[in-house]
């Protein structure tokens, strides 16, 4: 049987709406293919938990923003409440996803799909497997020890859609290994809405958009005394439209890591980008007025959602 999203609801796939734990209860997943929303909590340390959310229609998005129109994935660390997010659209940037990699088609395309993804035809075992249903791939894979296994396997509680464990042969760097992952099903059906209540209502303003950033050509310069070099700069995604304004202004200052704060001067002193000119290159001219190594300039952002972007990620190095 197929759901509206073209995924199988029965074995060997997970149910399209399911909540379960794995990795010895360190991770809890809640997946709702029908409503296109997903949740994960992951205990990093006893005092730090990461919460991740992915949705097609993310709540509390700024009206008419890309986040209100496309899939968004948000990560929140507790108890610090630091957070960041990414939007899957044509100007999206790379996201380190908390969810299965086969949900990501590329940086601009995403869909909440079944938790498992089979790369082979799966065969239901007719052997007596006790109180379990067992499915295995129609191809055999060999690991580094010489042992051979079906390339993918999945086990269910007998005559149910309750997954118990999966196993697969996979490559980790230069090793080929066989891994088994165990699952404890918490519920089948629509996930509890309370899991998504942790999403901050002000996330669109207070969480860092991972796509916001300043691009340079070049980003590392060698400038002799009394010489001037130029840097082309532009944005890789439009600034946010906040309170009727979509402009980010950029000024410059020496980084705290800079060993010489008066070795260079620069012009112009201020740049402006908006949703119209964000990909048009502008030119920064840097002149060395004093010898000294380890000179670093960082931007001072204002507006357009850039205020909470770490300027050290956009540092210019001058030698």
């Amino acid at each position: 049987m197929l759901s509206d999203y073209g995924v199988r609801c029965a074995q060997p796939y997970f149910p399209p709406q399911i909540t379960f734990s794995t990795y010895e209860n360190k991770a809890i997943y809640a997946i709702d293919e029908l409503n296109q929303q997903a949740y994960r909590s992951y205990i990093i340390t006893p005092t730090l938990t990461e919460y991740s959310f992915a949705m097609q229609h993310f709540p509390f998005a700024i009206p008419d923003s890309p986040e209100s129109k496309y899939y968004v994935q948000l990560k929140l660390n507790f108890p610090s409440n630091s957070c960041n997010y990414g939007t899957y659209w044509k100007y999206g940037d790379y996201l380190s996803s908390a969810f299965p990699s086969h949900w990501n088609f590329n940086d601009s395309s995403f869909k909440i799909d079944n938790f498992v993804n089979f790369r082979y035809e799966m065969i239901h075992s007719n052997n007596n497997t006790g109180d379990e249903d067992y499915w295995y791939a129609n191809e055999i894979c060999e690991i580094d020890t010489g042992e051979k296994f079906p390339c993918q396997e999945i086990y269910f509680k007998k005559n149910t859609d309750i997954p118990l464990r999966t196993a697969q042969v996979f490559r980790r760097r230069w090793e080929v290994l066989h891994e088994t992952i165990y699952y404890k099903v918490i519920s089948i059906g629509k996930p509890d809405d309370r899991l998504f209540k942790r999403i901050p209502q002000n996330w669109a303003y207070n969480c860092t958009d991972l796509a916001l950033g300043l691009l340079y050509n070049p980003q590392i310069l060698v400038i002799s005394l009394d010489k001037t070099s130029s840097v082309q700069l532009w944005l890789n995604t439009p600034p946010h439209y906040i309170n009727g304004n979509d402009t980010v202004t950029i000024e410059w200052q020496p980084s705290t890591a800079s060993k010489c704060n008066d070795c260079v001067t620069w012009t112009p002193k201020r740049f402006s980008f908006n949703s119209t000119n964000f990909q048009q290159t502008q030119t920064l001219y840097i002149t060395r007025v004093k010898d000294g190594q380890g000179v670093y300039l960082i931007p001072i952002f204002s507006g357009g959602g850039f205020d909470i972007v770490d300027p050290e990620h956009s540092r210019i190095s001058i030698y």
Side-chain angles (χ1 to χ4, degrees), residues 96-279:
S96 177
S97 180
F99 300 101
S101 59
H102 62 273
W103 293 6
N104 294 61
F105 297 96
N106 50 51
D107 290 344
S108 62
S109 183
F110 184 88
K111 187 181 79 169
I112 295 168
D113 210 332
N114 205 270
F115 186 74
V116 292
N117 179 44
F118 296 117
R119 301 182 301 277
Y120 309 90
E121 179 184 345
M122 299 298 288
I123 301 170
H124 184 257
S125 174
N126 292 321
N127 295 332
N128 183 5
T129 54
D131 59 355
E132 296 179 343
D133 281 317
Y134 170 55
W135 296 75
Y136 60 95
N138 66 340
E139 292 192 24
I140 299 297
C141 294
E142 183 175 339
I143 65 174
D144 288 345
T145 63
E147 296 175 278
K148 296 181 180 180
F149 301 90
C151 297
Q152 290 181 284
E153 303 164 272
I154 188 168
Y155 298 79
F156 291 85
K157 186 176 180 180
K158 192 74 171 181
N159 298 325
T160 74
D161 284 339
I162 299 174
L164 299 175
R165 62 191 181 278
T166 55
Q168 67 171 338
V169 174
F170 72 104
R171 179 177 294 277
R172 178 186 292 158
R173 297 179 182 174
W174 55 85
E175 296 180 295
V176 179
L177 306 169
H178 182 258
E179 178 186 48
T180 300
I181 299 176
Y182 294 84
Y183 307 97
K184 181 180 179 181
V185 172
I186 298 171
S187 68
I188 292 179
K190 188 177 185 299
D192 193 329
D193 289 336
R194 289 175 295 182
L195 295 175
F196 299 93
K197 295 297 185 183
R198 193 175 286 273
I199 296 174
Q201 294 189 21
N202 58 3
W203 68 266
Y205 300 94
N206 290 357
C207 298
T208 302
D209 181 351
L210 294 175
L212 292 181
L214 188 57
L215 301 177
Y216 301 106
N217 183 28
Q219 193 166 356
I220 300 175
L221 301 95
V222 177
I223 306 177
S224 301
L225 185 63
D226 297 327
K227 298 296 183 180
T228 298
S229 293
S230 62
V231 178
Q232 302 294 311
L233 52 105
W234 67 99
L235 307 182
N236 60 340
T237 195
H240 291 186
Y241 196 85
I242 299 175
N243 297 326
N245 192 334
D246 67 347
T247 298
V248 55
T249 59
I250 304 171
E251 298 179 342
W252 304 92
Q253 67 180 4
S255 165
T256 56
S258 187
K259 298 177 181 178
C260 180
N261 292 338
D262 59 354
C263 284
V264 299
T265 60
W266 55 89
T267 187
K269 298 298 183 182
R270 174 179 292 188
F271 294 85
S272 294
F273 290 96
N274 55 38
S275 58
T276 301
N277 72 347
F278 71 98
Q279 288 188 314

Side-chain angles (χ1 to χ4, degrees), residues 221-223 264 286 288 292-297 316-319:
L221 301 95
V222 177
I223 306 177
V264 299
I286 302 174
R288 179 178 286 279
Q293 292 298 311
V295 181
Y296 307 109
L297 293 181
I316 299 175
S317 301
I318 305 162
Y319 300 97

Side-chain angles (χ1 to χ4, degrees), residues 71-84:
Y71 283 88
V72 170
Q73 184 176 160
L74 182 144
K75 292 184 179 181
L76 171 71
N77 288 329
F78 181 82
S80 69
N81 287 330
S82 63
C83 52
N84 59 61

Side-chain angles (χ1 to χ4, degrees), residues 213-214 235 248-251 299-303 306-307 309-311 314:
L214 188 57
L235 307 182
V248 55
T249 59
I250 304 171
E251 298 179 342
I300 304 171
F301 295 121
S302 179
F306 278 78
D307 304 78
V309 173
D310 186 353
S314 301

